[in-house]
Amino acid sequence: MLQIFVSPRYDFISKRRWAYLISLAVTLAGLLHIAYKGGLEYGIDFAGGTLAQIRFEQGTTVDRVRGALDRVRLGESVIQEFGDRQEYLIRVPAGSGGGLEEVSKRIESGLREAGLPKFEVRRLEFVGPQVGRDLQLQALYAVLAGMTGILIYTAIRFDFKGGVAAIIALVHDVLVALAALSLTNREMSLPVLAALLTIVGYSINDTIVVFDRIREHRGRGLRKGETLADVINTAINQTLSRTILTSLTVFLVVAVLYVFGGEVLRDFAFALLVGVVTGTYSSIFVAAPIIVDWEAWIRSRERRAKKAVAKAGAGR
């Protein structure tokens, strides 16, 4: 197998507190940004409404398109360039434009009356507000069900601490991806949801490879002077080449999809790119280090309990 690192001996565990701070800062920044905006920016799939994709024969501007929609009282719609200045997405919120047929007629009428270049309606979709709300709930259930299944599987295969550590790493990855979507003003849509579920699967795969190696080393018992942190550092270093090569390969493929996949797949590919990076990071700096801190906390609590018992015995 190709080796990027020859016998690496990096001390990842000693850097875990810095990694926790970086993860916390990125996650908090994303959550605060989402709260500031009043929530995620949901696409038509989840928010409900009408989506029209218009292709003009010549380039035009968002302001001209908005001016045309103002004429038919659809000026509050979200207008977005779709690839170049000849193609635009128009999102009409649910309840502000009527049904699909009515909205379509008003958009086409407004564009013609405003004297914009000739155009073609390439896509027209309508999702009712109730369907959008149902999809939001189903998306939440899908993510929770996936994480619960992973917790059960990881707890059975390793132990409860490993399962919880893996879930924390997964939640971290999803939150960072949501933060990146919010900070770049991208929409939460069904393809993006599929990307988030893919991130969950990708991240846990990487984490389990590291956990497997940790279990293998712990099964042999600790050598004299060796600590749990040493064992985990060894396990991460031994899987480092495999982790980086796998991540790099996936990243390059998704990057090609992002660049050449077109606007329809761009948000999906963007979420995956973020997920590949954060999934690799969390398998090294979040999941395994949590086990070190957890076991250190358990040993500290046991020592305090023994001291308390000894003190009580001495006082009799």
Side-chain angles (χ1 to χ4, degrees):
M1 177 182 172
L2 177 64
Q3 293 285 324
I4 293 181
F5 305 97
V6 180
S7 304
R9 292 182 180 177
Y10 300 114
D11 185 0
F12 295 105
I13 297 302
S14 68
K15 312 292 188 304
R16 65 187 188 282
R17 302 289 162 77
W18 285 106
Y20 294 162
L21 284 175
I22 292 170
S23 296
L24 192 62
V26 172
T27 307
L28 275 179
L31 292 177
L32 288 174
H33 191 259
I34 292 171
Y36 173 76
K37 290 171 62 179
L40 287 169
E41 192 172 330
Y42 289 106
I44 292 293
D45 301 330
F46 294 114
T50 304
L51 171 70
Q53 183 179 337
I54 310 289
R55 175 79 181 176
F56 295 96
E57 281 189 355
Q58 299 171 9
T60 185
T61 64
V62 171
D63 288 341
R64 289 194 68 191
V65 176
R66 186 172 300 287
L69 296 181
D70 276 337
R71 301 167 72 95
V72 289
R73 299 191 303 279
L74 291 177
E76 297 303 317
S77 305
V78 177
I79 303 166
Q80 180 186 356
E81 276 188 23
F82 195 66
D84 56 39
R85 295 182 63 188
Q86 285 181 257
E87 198 153 349
Y88 288 86
L89 284 180
I90 299 171
R91 293 177 172 82
V92 182
S96 62
L100 178 64
E101 192 174 341
E102 183 184 348
V103 171
S104 172
K105 285 181 180 175
R106 287 169 66 182
I107 289 175
E108 292 185 37
S109 170
L111 296 178
R112 288 196 185 95
E113 289 174 10
L116 267 69
K118 287 185 180 178
F119 60 88
E120 172 194 0
V121 179
R122 292 195 159 183
R123 183 164 43 133
L124 199 59
E125 296 174 3
F126 174 79
V127 177
Q130 183 58 45
V131 174
R133 282 192 288 272
D134 289 347
L135 281 174
Q136 284 184 35
L137 278 177
Q138 289 171 10
L140 180 63
Y141 293 155
V143 173
L144 291 178
M147 289 192 172
T148 304
I150 287 169
L151 174 62
I152 294 170
Y153 168 75
T154 317
I156 292 172
R157 180 162 177 176
F158 300 102
D159 55 23
F160 181 69
K161 291 191 288 293
V164 173
I167 289 297
I168 292 173
L170 293 183
V171 171
H172 164 274
D173 296 344
V174 171
L175 288 179
V176 171
L178 290 176
L181 289 170
S182 178
L183 290 168
T184 54
N185 294 317
R186 294 175 188 274
E187 286 187 346
M188 181 68 187
S189 60
L190 282 177
V192 171
L193 172 65
L196 293 180
L197 291 172
T198 306
I199 291 169
V200 168
Y202 176 84
S203 178
I204 192 64
N205 179 56
D206 229 18
T207 301
I208 281 178
V209 169
V210 176
F211 280 9
D212 254 338
R213 193 56 61 94
I214 293 172
R215 182 176 60 178
E216 187 181 321
H217 282 284
R218 295 188 75 175
R220 297 172 188 161
L222 296 179
R223 290 174 296 188
K224 188 176 180 182
E226 192 176 42
T227 64
L228 177 60
D230 296 330
V231 168
I232 292 181
N233 265 328
T234 302
I236 295 174
N237 277 294
Q238 287 180 345
T239 56
L240 194 59
S241 282
R242 180 259 178 212
T243 300
I244 299 300
L245 277 173
T246 304
S247 301
L248 194 58
T249 307
V250 176
F251 186 90
L252 289 175
V253 172
V254 180
V256 170
L257 188 65
Y258 178 81
V259 175
F260 299 108
E263 288 295 326
V264 174
L265 294 176
R266 191 144 291 162
D267 288 353
F268 169 80
F270 175 81
L272 277 183
L273 284 176
V274 175
V276 170
V277 174
T278 191
T280 306
Y281 165 86
S282 69
S283 66
I284 296 173
F285 288 105
V286 178
I290 285 175
I291 295 177
V292 175
D293 285 320
W294 193 331
E295 297 211 359
W297 175 74
I298 290 173
R299 286 196 297 274
S300 171
R301 195 177 62 171
E302 289 173 349
R303 282 196 297 272
R304 286 200 302 271
K306 285 179 182 175
K307 282 183 182 177
V309 170
K311 192 174 179 181
R316 289 177 184 169

